[in-house]
Amino acid sequence: GPNWFDIQLEYLSADSAIQILVDVWEVPQDDELRSFFKAKYKVLKPLKIQQATRNFRLLEITSRIQSLRYSHVASSNNSAQEIDYTKTPFFVDGQELDSRNSWVAVYGDQKGSNAILIRDFSAPDSLAPAYSLQIGRYEKRFGDRPQDTRLMIVPKIDSLLLSPGDEFVIDGFW
């Protein structure tokens, strides 16, 4: 039935290098598909991240929990593509999105689909947001099955150098 929530979460990365502040809220509705959020990532220690479009995941949606099997991915900057599950571990690797009013979606499973909508994105050095779509396992980090996907919002850069005080902020909904 109708629900309402407004929660604030605070996390610290395992290496204490990034503080994450998240505010998530939903208005009363008949489903659970409209969560609004504002996520802020504050850099506390110097970091260098290689392959940031794979390894610096600001947001992530996985199909693993519900065993969804999507057939397509699309974004505000790209038309629909049929997902090729032989192109592992990344079918899409760092496809740029606009910093305002952009979206990315995975769909095609009868049980449901998923999307991330970015109302506003800010990052150090005016980095643009991007999305990556992981298929199956990646460097044995997760117990993903071959047909599992992870849709991720990442920065559009390969090698990311961060300094204390740098911030990423995402205002959006999913």
Side-chain angles (χ1 to χ4, degrees):
N3 52 51
W4 163 266
F5 76 79
D6 184 3
I7 58 173
Q8 291 80 40
L9 306 167
E10 184 175 345
Y11 300 97
L12 189 61
S13 62
D15 60 0
S16 299
I18 297 181
Q19 177 188 36
I20 303 115
L21 306 165
V22 182
D23 184 14
V24 182
W25 58 277
E26 282 187 9
V27 295
Q29 56 186 299
D30 289 333
D31 60 37
E32 298 178 10
L33 301 178
R34 288 166 202 79
S35 294
F36 295 83
F37 63 86
K38 185 167 189 174
K40 183 183 284 188
Y41 308 81
K42 295 181 177 183
V43 178
L44 305 175
K45 296 179 181 178
L47 284 173
K48 182 175 183 178
I49 300 166
Q50 296 298 331
Q51 294 183 307
T53 58
R54 297 178 176 205
N55 297 319
F56 194 72
R57 300 165 183 222
L58 296 163
L59 295 173
E60 180 177 86
I61 296 175
T62 180
S63 68
R64 180 176 168 76
I65 296 164
Q66 295 177 306
S67 297
L68 298 171
R69 299 295 173 247
Y70 304 119
S71 60
H72 289 81
V73 61
S75 76
S76 49
N77 291 2
N78 292 294
S79 57
Q81 299 177 58
E82 187 171 346
I83 297 171
D84 182 348
Y85 281 87
T86 66
K87 294 189 176 178
T88 61
F90 287 88
F91 177 65
V92 178
D93 190 2
Q95 181 64 52
E96 188 167 337
L97 294 166
D98 293 330
S99 293
R100 295 188 55 108
N101 301 319
S102 60
W103 58 268
V104 59
V106 284
Y107 60 95
D109 187 298
Q110 291 183 345
K111 293 182 281 184
S113 56
N114 271 304
I116 300 171
L117 294 92
I118 297 173
R119 297 188 310 183
D120 192 39
F121 178 94
S122 62
D125 302 320
S126 300
L127 286 172
Y131 73 94
S132 294
L133 182 65
Q134 176 188 321
I135 296 175
R137 289 188 178 198
Y138 173 58
E139 294 185 0
K140 300 181 183 176
R141 291 188 193 165
F142 309 106
D144 292 340
R145 298 167 296 239
Q147 297 296 308
D148 289 335
T149 58
R150 289 179 183 267
L151 178 62
M152 305 170 292
I153 300 298
V154 297
K156 179 64 177 164
I157 193 167
D158 185 49
S159 181
L160 182 61
L161 295 171
L162 296 172
S163 300
D166 287 346
E167 288 187 355
F168 291 82
V169 179
I170 305 173
D171 182 4
F173 61 97
W174 52 19

